[in-house]
Amino acid sequence: MKHVHSGKVRDLYETDEGLLLMVASDRISAFDHVLEPDIPDKGAILTQLSLWWFDQLKDIVPNHVVARGGEARAVLCRPLRMVQVECVARGYLAGGGLSEYRAGGAVSGVRLPEGLEDGSRLPEPIFTPSTKAPQGEHDEPIPYERVVAEVGAETAEELRRITLAVYTRGAQVAAERGIILADTKIELGWDADGVLTLGDEVLTPDSSRFWPADEWRPGRSQPSFDKQYVRDWLLSPESGWDKSSGNPPPRLPDHVVERTRQRYLEAYERLTGVPFSG
């Protein structure tokens, strides 16, 4: 196979038939840095979770999957012409959305009520797109009008409709498992017939914020099933790392690696209802 691209956490290969083999590594990134060491089984967990979600969403939007790959971390898929907009839906206020709200009372141009806190539930889910920045640079939130200017009104409306529908389905399924889906980012692209199609990964702890519902308390950072544990450690006195220093982050200690693996594993098993087999 021809090697096409290596990102922060995935490697992409092209087959002789023109299909793509997407391989999820165990690498983990935070604050635009790839960290060491890897998180054991992470790639396989996220790949299998994405495949499960693609099945749950197939009545909402088609996906790029052709077949499962030869190993648990690989997927054979159709190439897509990717939309150059990050499609994000939020049902709760956290992360970059919280920072934007605190700065101006809105997220991606969507005005929100006053008095919301870290972890507050929004009156309704909102579409909060952002730019798709090159690797090593930050995505920047953009208003819906900018999306219309980039891709046209018809496509922009489809991006918003699909993103919110994926979030709504994901939130419903997660709620049945005692989990809050705070927000999610999806990747959409056009297939060979010009149909908007779901690609990359979907509703995983790397592309979404999942919180245990019984521990949700607005007004604080929420316990989560994603790499927030890693981010929190990097910003803690224990790590000794200054995010603004320009220096690379320190190596993750064993206890952070194992705890992070357990969070990914718990997310998979609680959402799918089946034990992870690797």
Side-chain angles (χ1 to χ4, degrees), residues 20-22 44 47-55 65-77 268 277-278:
L20 296 175
L21 184 71
M22 190 169 66
T47 297
Q48 296 307 306
L49 183 56
S50 275
L51 288 168
W52 184 83
W53 276 116
F54 281 133
D55 283 342
V65 175
V66 174
R68 296 171 184 263
E71 55 177 304
R73 67 182 63 247
V75 178
L76 194 65
C77 50
Y268 174 87
S277 58

Side-chain angles (χ1 to χ4, degrees), residues 247-269:
N247 296 324
R251 184 177 177 87
L252 300 176
D254 291 346
H255 71 90
V256 173
V257 170
E258 179 55 27
R259 181 62 177 148
T260 303
R261 179 185 180 275
Q262 287 301 320
R263 296 305 271 175
Y264 280 108
L265 195 59
E266 186 178 355
Y268 174 87
E269 295 185 344

